[in-house]
Amino acid sequence: MIEVVKPKFLSFICTTAHPAGCEELVRRQIDYVKSMPPTGQKRKVLVIGSSTGYGLSSRICAAWADGSPTIGVCFEKQAFKKRTATAGWYNTAAFEKFAAEDGLYAKTINGDAFSKEVKDKTVELIKKDWGKADVVIYSLAAPRRTMADGTVYSSVLKTKDRPFTSKNLDIGKRKITQSTILPANAEEIEATIKVMGGEDWYEWMHTLKAAGVLADDAVTVAYSYIGPELTYPIYFDGTIGQAKKHLYETALKLQEEGMNAYISVNKALVTQSSAAIPIVPLYLSILYKVMKEAGVHEGTIEQMYRLWHDQLSSDAPKTDAPARIRLDDYEMRPDIQEKVMEGWNAVSDDNLTEYTDIDGYWEDLYQMFGFGFDHVDYDAAVETAQPIPSVEA
Ligand code: NAD
C-alpha cells in the first residue's frame, strides 16, 4: 500500500513505523561503524533477536566492522492492509538491502525463536550456507514464550517481595508522578525466568552443537543489565532481575560445559523493551541528560561497537566476574551516578528540562519507529509493504 505514514502512539509504543525512517536509522548505524576502525576478523555470526535495539546493532557491527556474513532471527510483522509493518521488519529490509549493496551475506529467519521449528530452520540454513557458526548473539527481549506443549509463559515487570513506590515520569504528559509496583507471586517470577532467563539460550546452544553447526571455538554472548541501586527494586531485585540472574548462571553452566559463553552487561537505553519498564523512563531521561553533558552518552551502536572491537576481537574478553563483560562502565561511573541521584532527588514538574533529557528520550522513541529524522520527507507517500529478500517464515 502506498500511503503517508504518521506516528500513532499508544502510551510508549508507536503502532506505526516508517519504512524510509527505519532505513535512515539503519544507515546511520552503518555509517557510524564504517567510520570506526574495522576489527579485521571475519566470522560467521548468528544473531537471535536481530531486528531492533541491541541485536540490530550487533548485527550491523558484525557485518560492517568485521565484514562478516550474518544470519538474523527475529519476530516481526509485514504490512497488512492499512497496518504498516513493524519497525523491526523495515530495519531488517534495510539491513539486507545495504548488506547486498556492500556484497555481504545476510539472511533472516522471521519466526518464534523459542520454537523448535525456528531452531531447526536455523540449523539447516547454517549447514547449507556456512557449515558452522563462529559467533552466536542472544538478544531476545520477549513478552511471552510458548512452549512445545502449548503452555504460554508471560513475563511481568514487578518487584520480588514487597510493593515499591517511587517517583516516575509520565513521558506523554511530561509530569512527575508516583508509581507503585506490586510484588509478583511465585508463578509470575517463574514465568518471567522462563521467558527472559537462560533456558532458551541454553537450548539454542545445545541444538546448534548437537547438529554440528557450532565452530569448536565459537563464542556466544547474551545481554543483561544491572543498573544502580535506585532501580534495584524494579530491575536487579525484581522479576526481570531474577531472569537475568538465571541468564548469568546459564553462561557459567555453558562455560563449565566447555563453551565460550558470556553475559554482556549493557547500558540502559530507550528501546521497545526498556520503555515498558515502570520508573525506568525517569531514570533514563535523567541518565541521558547527565551522560550527554559529560560527553559519554552512547546509543546501542556505540555500545555494540565497543563489544565487537574491544572485547570480541581480543584474545579473551575482559571480564569483571567469571563470564561477565561490562559495557555499562560509563553509566556506572561514580560521578555519573552521583549526578543522576542529585537529579532524581531534585526533579519536579517545574524543573523537568533542567534535570531530564525528556526531549532526547522522545527523540529516541520516535526514531526507533522511523520518525523524527531530518532527511526523511514525512509528507511523501511511501510503499509500506517492503519485502525482505531472504526472509524465511
Ligand atoms: P528489543 O525489544 O529492541 O529487541 C528484541 C529483539 O527480540 C527483536 O529483534 C525482536 O524481533 C526479537 N524477538 C522478540 N521476541 C521474539 C521471538 N519470540 N522470536 C524471535 N525473535 C524475537 O530489545 P533490546 O532492548 O535490544 O533488548 C535485547 C537484550 O538486551 C535483552 O536481553 C535486554 O534485556 C538486554 N538489555 C537491554 C538494555 C536496554 O536498556 N534496552 C540494557 C541492557 C541489556
PDB file of all heavy atoms in Angstrom, residues 3-7 17-28 90 98 366-367 369-383 386:
ATOM      1  N   GLU A   3       1.155   5.015   0.990  1.00  0.00           N
ATOM      2  CA  GLU A   3       0.437   5.970   1.845  1.00  0.00           C
ATOM      3  C   GLU A   3       1.411   6.862   2.611  1.00  0.00           C
ATOM      4  O   GLU A   3       2.605   6.568   2.712  1.00  0.00           O
ATOM      5  CB  GLU A   3      -0.461   5.225   2.834  1.00  0.00           C
ATOM      6  CG  GLU A   3       0.317   4.290   3.726  1.00  0.00           C
ATOM      7  CD  GLU A   3      -0.540   3.560   4.750  1.00  0.00           C
ATOM      8  OE1 GLU A   3      -1.521   4.127   5.230  1.00  0.00           O
ATOM      9  OE2 GLU A   3      -0.185   2.427   5.087  1.00  0.00           O
ATOM     10  N   VAL A   4       0.860   7.941   3.163  1.00  0.00           N
ATOM     11  CA  VAL A   4       1.642   8.809   4.050  1.00  0.00           C
ATOM     12  C   VAL A   4       1.567   8.180   5.437  1.00  0.00           C
ATOM     13  O   VAL A   4       0.483   7.854   5.913  1.00  0.00           O
ATOM     14  CB  VAL A   4       1.042  10.240   4.064  1.00  0.00           C
ATOM     15  CG1 VAL A   4       1.749  11.116   5.084  1.00  0.00           C
ATOM     16  CG2 VAL A   4       1.113  10.853   2.671  1.00  0.00           C
ATOM     17  N   VAL A   5       2.707   7.979   6.071  1.00  0.00           N
ATOM     18  CA  VAL A   5       2.714   7.297   7.379  1.00  0.00           C
ATOM     19  C   VAL A   5       3.069   8.294   8.476  1.00  0.00           C
ATOM     20  O   VAL A   5       4.098   8.964   8.415  1.00  0.00           O
ATOM     21  CB  VAL A   5       3.736   6.126   7.394  1.00  0.00           C
ATOM     22  CG1 VAL A   5       3.688   5.406   8.742  1.00  0.00           C
ATOM     23  CG2 VAL A   5       3.470   5.160   6.259  1.00  0.00           C
ATOM     24  N   LYS A   6       2.187   8.403   9.436  1.00  0.00           N
ATOM     25  CA  LYS A   6       2.421   9.308  10.579  1.00  0.00           C
ATOM     26  C   LYS A   6       2.527   8.476  11.857  1.00  0.00           C
ATOM     27  O   LYS A   6       1.948   7.387  11.940  1.00  0.00           O
ATOM     28  CB  LYS A   6       1.244  10.289  10.721  1.00  0.00           C
ATOM     29  CG  LYS A   6       1.070  11.210   9.524  1.00  0.00           C
ATOM     30  CD  LYS A   6       2.114  12.316   9.510  1.00  0.00           C
ATOM     31  CE  LYS A   6       1.990  13.173   8.241  1.00  0.00           C
ATOM     32  NZ  LYS A   6       3.104  14.089   8.033  1.00  0.00           N
ATOM     33  N   PRO A   7       3.242   9.006  12.865  1.00  0.00           N
ATOM     34  CA  PRO A   7       3.344   8.234  14.114  1.00  0.00           C
ATOM     35  C   PRO A   7       2.018   8.204  14.860  1.00  0.00           C
ATOM     36  O   PRO A   7       1.317   9.219  14.928  1.00  0.00           O
ATOM     37  CB  PRO A   7       4.398   9.006  14.927  1.00  0.00           C
ATOM     38  CG  PRO A   7       4.466  10.360  14.329  1.00  0.00           C
ATOM     39  CD  PRO A   7       3.997  10.265  12.908  1.00  0.00           C
ATOM     40  N   ALA A  17       5.071   2.382  11.816  1.00  0.00           N
ATOM     41  CA  ALA A  17       6.520   2.537  11.629  1.00  0.00           C
ATOM     42  C   ALA A  17       6.736   3.065  10.222  1.00  0.00           C
ATOM     43  O   ALA A  17       5.938   2.790   9.317  1.00  0.00           O
ATOM     44  CB  ALA A  17       7.227   1.203  11.811  1.00  0.00           C
ATOM     45  N   HIS A  18       7.798   3.856  10.045  1.00  0.00           N
ATOM     46  CA  HIS A  18       8.039   4.485   8.747  1.00  0.00           C
ATOM     47  C   HIS A  18       9.194   3.779   8.028  1.00  0.00           C
ATOM     48  O   HIS A  18      10.320   3.754   8.542  1.00  0.00           O
ATOM     49  CB  HIS A  18       8.367   5.967   8.942  1.00  0.00           C
ATOM     50  CG  HIS A  18       8.181   6.755   7.699  1.00  0.00           C
ATOM     51  ND1 HIS A  18       9.072   6.705   6.652  1.00  0.00           N
ATOM     52  CD2 HIS A  18       7.176   7.581   7.304  1.00  0.00           C
ATOM     53  CE1 HIS A  18       8.636   7.487   5.676  1.00  0.00           C
ATOM     54  NE2 HIS A  18       7.488   8.022   6.048  1.00  0.00           N
ATOM     55  N   PRO A  19       8.917   3.203   6.842  1.00  0.00           N
ATOM     56  CA  PRO A  19       9.978   2.437   6.175  1.00  0.00           C
ATOM     57  C   PRO A  19      11.215   3.261   5.846  1.00  0.00           C
ATOM     58  O   PRO A  19      12.344   2.809   6.073  1.00  0.00           O
ATOM     59  CB  PRO A  19       9.308   1.919   4.895  1.00  0.00           C
ATOM     60  CG  PRO A  19       7.972   2.558   4.801  1.00  0.00           C
ATOM     61  CD  PRO A  19       7.634   3.151   6.126  1.00  0.00           C
ATOM     62  N   ALA A  20      11.009   4.498   5.350  1.00  0.00           N
ATOM     63  CA  ALA A  20      12.186   5.303   4.976  1.00  0.00           C
ATOM     64  C   ALA A  20      12.942   5.749   6.229  1.00  0.00           C
ATOM     65  O   ALA A  20      14.179   5.847   6.231  1.00  0.00           O
ATOM     66  CB  ALA A  20      11.744   6.518   4.168  1.00  0.00           C
ATOM     67  N   GLY A  21      12.200   6.015   7.322  1.00  0.00           N
ATOM     68  CA  GLY A  21      12.844   6.419   8.580  1.00  0.00           C
ATOM     69  C   GLY A  21      13.633   5.268   9.186  1.00  0.00           C
ATOM     70  O   GLY A  21      14.737   5.468   9.714  1.00  0.00           O
ATOM     71  N   CYS A  22      13.074   4.056   9.118  1.00  0.00           N
ATOM     72  CA  CYS A  22      13.803   2.892   9.648  1.00  0.00           C
ATOM     73  C   CYS A  22      15.067   2.667   8.825  1.00  0.00           C
ATOM     74  O   CYS A  22      16.128   2.333   9.370  1.00  0.00           O
ATOM     75  CB  CYS A  22      12.912   1.648   9.649  1.00  0.00           C
ATOM     76  SG  CYS A  22      11.587   1.750  10.879  1.00  0.00           S
ATOM     77  N   GLU A  23      14.952   2.889   7.504  1.00  0.00           N
ATOM     78  CA  GLU A  23      16.139   2.746   6.654  1.00  0.00           C
ATOM     79  C   GLU A  23      17.208   3.770   7.071  1.00  0.00           C
ATOM     80  O   GLU A  23      18.394   3.475   7.121  1.00  0.00           O
ATOM     81  CB  GLU A  23      15.741   2.943   5.184  1.00  0.00           C
ATOM     82  CG  GLU A  23      16.891   2.696   4.243  1.00  0.00           C
ATOM     83  CD  GLU A  23      16.472   2.700   2.777  1.00  0.00           C
ATOM     84  OE1 GLU A  23      15.546   1.969   2.405  1.00  0.00           O
ATOM     85  OE2 GLU A  23      17.095   3.461   2.010  1.00  0.00           O
ATOM     86  N   GLU A  24      16.744   4.973   7.418  1.00  0.00           N
ATOM     87  CA  GLU A  24      17.676   6.025   7.842  1.00  0.00           C
ATOM     88  C   GLU A  24      18.374   5.623   9.156  1.00  0.00           C
ATOM     89  O   GLU A  24      19.573   5.830   9.326  1.00  0.00           O
ATOM     90  CB  GLU A  24      16.903   7.347   8.014  1.00  0.00           C
ATOM     91  CG  GLU A  24      17.705   8.536   8.489  1.00  0.00           C
ATOM     92  CD  GLU A  24      18.793   8.997   7.509  1.00  0.00           C
ATOM     93  OE1 GLU A  24      18.769   8.583   6.349  1.00  0.00           O
ATOM     94  OE2 GLU A  24      19.687   9.758   7.961  1.00  0.00           O
ATOM     95  N   LEU A  25      17.606   5.034  10.074  1.00  0.00           N
ATOM     96  CA  LEU A  25      18.183   4.587  11.351  1.00  0.00           C
ATOM     97  C   LEU A  25      19.279   3.553  11.109  1.00  0.00           C
ATOM     98  O   LEU A  25      20.365   3.628  11.688  1.00  0.00           O
ATOM     99  CB  LEU A  25      17.071   3.987  12.212  1.00  0.00           C
ATOM    100  CG  LEU A  25      17.468   3.407  13.563  1.00  0.00           C
ATOM    101  CD1 LEU A  25      16.687   4.107  14.675  1.00  0.00           C
ATOM    102  CD2 LEU A  25      17.177   1.927  13.660  1.00  0.00           C
ATOM    103  N   VAL A  26      18.995   2.607  10.215  1.00  0.00           N
ATOM    104  CA  VAL A  26      19.975   1.554   9.919  1.00  0.00           C
ATOM    105  C   VAL A  26      21.188   2.170   9.205  1.00  0.00           C
ATOM    106  O   VAL A  26      22.337   1.884   9.534  1.00  0.00           O
ATOM    107  CB  VAL A  26      19.318   0.434   9.073  1.00  0.00           C
ATOM    108  CG1 VAL A  26      20.353  -0.581   8.601  1.00  0.00           C
ATOM    109  CG2 VAL A  26      18.232  -0.260   9.893  1.00  0.00           C
ATOM    110  N   ARG A  27      20.915   3.077   8.254  1.00  0.00           N
ATOM    111  CA  ARG A  27      22.013   3.715   7.505  1.00  0.00           C
ATOM    112  C   ARG A  27      22.961   4.457   8.462  1.00  0.00           C
ATOM    113  O   ARG A  27      24.171   4.367   8.364  1.00  0.00           O
ATOM    114  CB  ARG A  27      21.445   4.700   6.476  1.00  0.00           C
ATOM    115  CG  ARG A  27      22.509   5.312   5.558  1.00  0.00           C
ATOM    116  CD  ARG A  27      22.072   6.637   4.936  1.00  0.00           C
ATOM    117  NE  ARG A  27      20.665   6.670   4.592  1.00  0.00           N
ATOM    118  CZ  ARG A  27      20.146   6.227   3.433  1.00  0.00           C
ATOM    119  NH1 ARG A  27      20.933   5.754   2.506  1.00  0.00           N
ATOM    120  NH2 ARG A  27      18.854   6.299   3.220  1.00  0.00           N
ATOM    121  N   ARG A  28      22.366   5.189   9.426  1.00  0.00           N
ATOM    122  CA  ARG A  28      23.207   5.955  10.362  1.00  0.00           C
ATOM    123  C   ARG A  28      24.088   5.031  11.199  1.00  0.00           C
ATOM    124  O   ARG A  28      25.243   5.338  11.470  1.00  0.00           O
ATOM    125  CB  ARG A  28      22.324   6.777  11.305  1.00  0.00           C
ATOM    126  CG  ARG A  28      21.748   7.983  10.618  1.00  0.00           C
ATOM    127  CD  ARG A  28      20.959   8.799  11.598  1.00  0.00           C
ATOM    128  NE  ARG A  28      20.354   9.925  10.904  1.00  0.00           N
ATOM    129  CZ  ARG A  28      19.954  11.029  11.488  1.00  0.00           C
ATOM    130  NH1 ARG A  28      20.083  11.172  12.788  1.00  0.00           N
ATOM    131  NH2 ARG A  28      19.413  12.003  10.789  1.00  0.00           N
ATOM    132  N   TYR A  90      11.031  -3.332   8.898  1.00  0.00           N
ATOM    133  CA  TYR A  90      11.669  -2.356   7.996  1.00  0.00           C
ATOM    134  C   TYR A  90      13.189  -2.289   8.241  1.00  0.00           C
ATOM    135  O   TYR A  90      13.966  -2.133   7.300  1.00  0.00           O
ATOM    136  CB  TYR A  90      11.057  -0.960   8.178  1.00  0.00           C
ATOM    137  CG  TYR A  90       9.614  -0.859   7.737  1.00  0.00           C
ATOM    138  CD1 TYR A  90       8.684  -0.168   8.518  1.00  0.00           C
ATOM    139  CD2 TYR A  90       9.179  -1.431   6.545  1.00  0.00           C
ATOM    140  CE1 TYR A  90       7.359  -0.052   8.126  1.00  0.00           C
ATOM    141  CE2 TYR A  90       7.853  -1.330   6.145  1.00  0.00           C
ATOM    142  CZ  TYR A  90       6.945  -0.640   6.936  1.00  0.00           C
ATOM    143  OH  TYR A  90       5.641  -0.537   6.539  1.00  0.00           O
ATOM    144  N   PHE A  98      21.263  -2.884   2.370  1.00  0.00           N
ATOM    145  CA  PHE A  98      22.623  -2.319   2.462  1.00  0.00           C
ATOM    146  C   PHE A  98      23.686  -3.426   2.409  1.00  0.00           C
ATOM    147  O   PHE A  98      24.759  -3.235   1.844  1.00  0.00           O
ATOM    148  CB  PHE A  98      22.778  -1.484   3.733  1.00  0.00           C
ATOM    149  CG  PHE A  98      21.956  -0.214   3.715  1.00  0.00           C
ATOM    150  CD1 PHE A  98      21.076   0.085   4.757  1.00  0.00           C
ATOM    151  CD2 PHE A  98      22.050   0.679   2.657  1.00  0.00           C
ATOM    152  CE1 PHE A  98      20.312   1.247   4.739  1.00  0.00           C
ATOM    153  CE2 PHE A  98      21.288   1.851   2.630  1.00  0.00           C
ATOM    154  CZ  PHE A  98      20.417   2.128   3.676  1.00  0.00           C
ATOM    155  N   TYR A 366      10.868   8.110  19.070  1.00  0.00           N
ATOM    156  CA  TYR A 366      10.368   8.359  17.706  1.00  0.00           C
ATOM    157  C   TYR A 366      11.250   7.658  16.680  1.00  0.00           C
ATOM    158  O   TYR A 366      10.767   6.993  15.768  1.00  0.00           O
ATOM    159  CB  TYR A 366      10.359   9.869  17.406  1.00  0.00           C
ATOM    160  CG  TYR A 366       9.029  10.518  17.689  1.00  0.00           C
ATOM    161  CD1 TYR A 366       8.739  11.062  18.934  1.00  0.00           C
ATOM    162  CD2 TYR A 366       8.047  10.601  16.697  1.00  0.00           C
ATOM    163  CE1 TYR A 366       7.503  11.637  19.200  1.00  0.00           C
ATOM    164  CE2 TYR A 366       6.814  11.175  16.949  1.00  0.00           C
ATOM    165  CZ  TYR A 366       6.548  11.697  18.208  1.00  0.00           C
ATOM    166  OH  TYR A 366       5.334  12.259  18.459  1.00  0.00           O
ATOM    167  N   GLN A 367      12.559   7.805  16.854  1.00  0.00           N
ATOM    168  CA  GLN A 367      13.478   7.258  15.837  1.00  0.00           C
ATOM    169  C   GLN A 367      13.435   5.738  15.792  1.00  0.00           C
ATOM    170  O   GLN A 367      13.641   5.140  14.741  1.00  0.00           O
ATOM    171  CB  GLN A 367      14.900   7.782  16.083  1.00  0.00           C
ATOM    172  CG  GLN A 367      14.985   9.283  15.779  1.00  0.00           C
ATOM    173  CD  GLN A 367      16.392   9.831  15.782  1.00  0.00           C
ATOM    174  OE1 GLN A 367      17.338   9.171  16.197  1.00  0.00           O
ATOM    175  NE2 GLN A 367      16.544  11.072  15.338  1.00  0.00           N
ATOM    176  N   PHE A 369      10.967   4.025  15.714  1.00  0.00           N
ATOM    177  CA  PHE A 369       9.894   3.647  14.794  1.00  0.00           C
ATOM    178  C   PHE A 369      10.054   4.350  13.438  1.00  0.00           C
ATOM    179  O   PHE A 369       9.137   4.365  12.623  1.00  0.00           O
ATOM    180  CB  PHE A 369       8.531   3.968  15.423  1.00  0.00           C
ATOM    181  CG  PHE A 369       8.292   3.184  16.693  1.00  0.00           C
ATOM    182  CD1 PHE A 369       8.575   3.726  17.928  1.00  0.00           C
ATOM    183  CD2 PHE A 369       7.833   1.872  16.630  1.00  0.00           C
ATOM    184  CE1 PHE A 369       8.396   2.991  19.100  1.00  0.00           C
ATOM    185  CE2 PHE A 369       7.654   1.125  17.786  1.00  0.00           C
ATOM    186  CZ  PHE A 369       7.928   1.692  19.029  1.00  0.00           C
ATOM    187  N   GLY A 370      11.199   4.965  13.244  1.00  0.00           N
ATOM    188  CA  GLY A 370      11.494   5.581  11.953  1.00  0.00           C
ATOM    189  C   GLY A 370      10.968   6.997  11.794  1.00  0.00           C
ATOM    190  O   GLY A 370      10.873   7.503  10.679  1.00  0.00           O
ATOM    191  N   PHE A 371      10.649   7.663  12.905  1.00  0.00           N
ATOM    192  CA  PHE A 371      10.143   9.042  12.813  1.00  0.00           C
ATOM    193  C   PHE A 371      11.170  10.029  13.399  1.00  0.00           C
ATOM    194  O   PHE A 371      12.002   9.654  14.210  1.00  0.00           O
ATOM    195  CB  PHE A 371       8.813   9.171  13.561  1.00  0.00           C
ATOM    196  CG  PHE A 371       7.727   8.328  12.957  1.00  0.00           C
ATOM    197  CD1 PHE A 371       7.336   7.132  13.558  1.00  0.00           C
ATOM    198  CD2 PHE A 371       7.129   8.696  11.761  1.00  0.00           C
ATOM    199  CE1 PHE A 371       6.347   6.339  12.982  1.00  0.00           C
ATOM    200  CE2 PHE A 371       6.147   7.901  11.178  1.00  0.00           C
ATOM    201  CZ  PHE A 371       5.752   6.724  11.791  1.00  0.00           C
ATOM    202  N   GLY A 372      11.055  11.288  12.954  1.00  0.00           N
ATOM    203  CA  GLY A 372      11.872  12.346  13.556  1.00  0.00           C
ATOM    204  C   GLY A 372      13.252  12.501  12.933  1.00  0.00           C
ATOM    205  O   GLY A 372      14.118  13.144  13.525  1.00  0.00           O
ATOM    206  N   PHE A 373      13.478  11.942  11.742  1.00  0.00           N
ATOM    207  CA  PHE A 373      14.768  12.144  11.071  1.00  0.00           C
ATOM    208  C   PHE A 373      14.658  13.324  10.109  1.00  0.00           C
ATOM    209  O   PHE A 373      13.686  13.429   9.342  1.00  0.00           O
ATOM    210  CB  PHE A 373      15.176  10.896  10.278  1.00  0.00           C
ATOM    211  CG  PHE A 373      15.597   9.749  11.146  1.00  0.00           C
ATOM    212  CD1 PHE A 373      14.768   8.646  11.329  1.00  0.00           C
ATOM    213  CD2 PHE A 373      16.828   9.773  11.803  1.00  0.00           C
ATOM    214  CE1 PHE A 373      15.158   7.587  12.137  1.00  0.00           C
ATOM    215  CE2 PHE A 373      17.214   8.716  12.622  1.00  0.00           C
ATOM    216  CZ  PHE A 373      16.381   7.621  12.781  1.00  0.00           C
ATOM    217  N   ASP A 374      15.689  14.191  10.135  1.00  0.00           N
ATOM    218  CA  ASP A 374      15.691  15.403   9.299  1.00  0.00           C
ATOM    219  C   ASP A 374      15.558  15.091   7.815  1.00  0.00           C
ATOM    220  O   ASP A 374      14.896  15.807   7.083  1.00  0.00           O
ATOM    221  CB  ASP A 374      17.021  16.165   9.466  1.00  0.00           C
ATOM    222  CG  ASP A 374      17.120  16.756  10.849  1.00  0.00           C
ATOM    223  OD1 ASP A 374      16.078  16.793  11.533  1.00  0.00           O
ATOM    224  OD2 ASP A 374      18.239  17.148  11.247  1.00  0.00           O
ATOM    225  N   HIS A 375      16.262  14.032   7.362  1.00  0.00           N
ATOM    226  CA  HIS A 375      16.358  13.814   5.922  1.00  0.00           C
ATOM    227  C   HIS A 375      15.180  13.068   5.321  1.00  0.00           C
ATOM    228  O   HIS A 375      15.183  12.787   4.133  1.00  0.00           O
ATOM    229  CB  HIS A 375      17.639  13.046   5.591  1.00  0.00           C
ATOM    230  CG  HIS A 375      18.855  13.754   6.072  1.00  0.00           C
ATOM    231  ND1 HIS A 375      19.083  15.069   5.778  1.00  0.00           N
ATOM    232  CD2 HIS A 375      19.870  13.357   6.852  1.00  0.00           C
ATOM    233  CE1 HIS A 375      20.210  15.445   6.363  1.00  0.00           C
ATOM    234  NE2 HIS A 375      20.703  14.429   7.025  1.00  0.00           N
ATOM    235  N   VAL A 376      14.200  12.730   6.145  1.00  0.00           N
ATOM    236  CA  VAL A 376      13.093  11.930   5.622  1.00  0.00           C
ATOM    237  C   VAL A 376      11.886  12.843   5.395  1.00  0.00           C
ATOM    238  O   VAL A 376      11.541  13.653   6.269  1.00  0.00           O
ATOM    239  CB  VAL A 376      12.742  10.783   6.602  1.00  0.00           C
ATOM    240  CG1 VAL A 376      11.538   9.996   6.110  1.00  0.00           C
ATOM    241  CG2 VAL A 376      13.950   9.864   6.790  1.00  0.00           C
ATOM    242  N   ASP A 377      11.267  12.713   4.225  1.00  0.00           N
ATOM    243  CA  ASP A 377      10.087  13.527   3.915  1.00  0.00           C
ATOM    244  C   ASP A 377       8.843  12.791   4.412  1.00  0.00           C
ATOM    245  O   ASP A 377       8.356  11.856   3.762  1.00  0.00           O
ATOM    246  CB  ASP A 377      10.019  13.760   2.397  1.00  0.00           C
ATOM    247  CG  ASP A 377       8.789  14.581   2.005  1.00  0.00           C
ATOM    248  OD1 ASP A 377       8.015  14.956   2.916  1.00  0.00           O
ATOM    249  OD2 ASP A 377       8.618  14.826   0.790  1.00  0.00           O
ATOM    250  N   TYR A 378       8.356  13.230   5.560  1.00  0.00           N
ATOM    251  CA  TYR A 378       7.233  12.516   6.174  1.00  0.00           C
ATOM    252  C   TYR A 378       5.878  12.875   5.553  1.00  0.00           C
ATOM    253  O   TYR A 378       4.869  12.298   5.929  1.00  0.00           O
ATOM    254  CB  TYR A 378       7.230  12.734   7.697  1.00  0.00           C
ATOM    255  CG  TYR A 378       8.404  12.043   8.361  1.00  0.00           C
ATOM    256  CD1 TYR A 378       9.523  12.760   8.771  1.00  0.00           C
ATOM    257  CD2 TYR A 378       8.417  10.664   8.527  1.00  0.00           C
ATOM    258  CE1 TYR A 378      10.614  12.120   9.348  1.00  0.00           C
ATOM    259  CE2 TYR A 378       9.498  10.007   9.090  1.00  0.00           C
ATOM    260  CZ  TYR A 378      10.589  10.747   9.505  1.00  0.00           C
ATOM    261  OH  TYR A 378      11.670  10.096  10.065  1.00  0.00           O
ATOM    262  N   ASP A 379       5.886  13.832   4.613  1.00  0.00           N
ATOM    263  CA  ASP A 379       4.629  14.142   3.924  1.00  0.00           C
ATOM    264  C   ASP A 379       4.494  13.337   2.631  1.00  0.00           C
ATOM    265  O   ASP A 379       3.440  13.345   1.998  1.00  0.00           O
ATOM    266  CB  ASP A 379       4.555  15.645   3.601  1.00  0.00           C
ATOM    267  CG  ASP A 379       4.478  16.455   4.887  1.00  0.00           C
ATOM    268  OD1 ASP A 379       3.797  15.974   5.826  1.00  0.00           O
ATOM    269  OD2 ASP A 379       5.118  17.518   4.971  1.00  0.00           O
ATOM    270  N   ALA A 380       5.565  12.672   2.250  1.00  0.00           N
ATOM    271  CA  ALA A 380       5.526  11.892   0.998  1.00  0.00           C
ATOM    272  C   ALA A 380       4.908  10.523   1.263  1.00  0.00           C
ATOM    273  O   ALA A 380       5.127   9.929   2.315  1.00  0.00           O
ATOM    274  CB  ALA A 380       6.949  11.724   0.460  1.00  0.00           C
ATOM    275  N   ALA A 381       4.137  10.039   0.265  1.00  0.00           N
ATOM    276  CA  ALA A 381       3.566   8.693   0.389  1.00  0.00           C
ATOM    277  C   ALA A 381       4.671   7.665   0.136  1.00  0.00           C
ATOM    278  O   ALA A 381       5.539   7.868  -0.719  1.00  0.00           O
ATOM    279  CB  ALA A 381       2.442   8.520  -0.617  1.00  0.00           C
ATOM    280  N   VAL A 382       4.657   6.607   0.925  1.00  0.00           N
ATOM    281  CA  VAL A 382       5.684   5.557   0.778  1.00  0.00           C
ATOM    282  C   VAL A 382       5.013   4.193   0.652  1.00  0.00           C
ATOM    283  O   VAL A 382       3.901   3.989   1.138  1.00  0.00           O
ATOM    284  CB  VAL A 382       6.648   5.507   1.991  1.00  0.00           C
ATOM    285  CG1 VAL A 382       7.702   6.574   1.934  1.00  0.00           C
ATOM    286  CG2 VAL A 382       5.881   5.562   3.313  1.00  0.00           C
ATOM    287  N   GLU A 383       5.735   3.268   0.023  1.00  0.00           N
ATOM    288  CA  GLU A 383       5.239   1.880  -0.065  1.00  0.00           C
ATOM    289  C   GLU A 383       5.481   1.219   1.292  1.00  0.00           C
ATOM    290  O   GLU A 383       6.631   1.118   1.749  1.00  0.00           O
ATOM    291  CB  GLU A 383       5.994   1.153  -1.186  1.00  0.00           C
ATOM    292  CG  GLU A 383       5.664  -0.320  -1.324  1.00  0.00           C
ATOM    293  CD  GLU A 383       4.181  -0.613  -1.518  1.00  0.00           C
ATOM    294  OE1 GLU A 383       3.687  -0.444  -2.658  1.00  0.00           O
ATOM    295  OE2 GLU A 383       3.534  -0.999  -0.522  1.00  0.00           O
ATOM    296  N   GLN A 386       7.158  -3.604   2.349  1.00  0.00           N
ATOM    297  CA  GLN A 386       8.548  -3.775   1.898  1.00  0.00           C
ATOM    298  C   GLN A 386       8.933  -5.247   2.009  1.00  0.00           C
ATOM    299  O   GLN A 386       8.784  -5.827   3.077  1.00  0.00           O
ATOM    300  CB  GLN A 386       9.476  -2.990   2.822  1.00  0.00           C
ATOM    301  CG  GLN A 386       9.171  -1.517   2.896  1.00  0.00           C
ATOM    302  CD  GLN A 386      10.071  -0.709   1.999  1.00  0.00           C
ATOM    303  OE1 GLN A 386      11.221  -1.056   1.813  1.00  0.00           O
ATOM    304  NE2 GLN A 386       9.548   0.367   1.460  1.00  0.00           N
TER     305      GLN A 386
END
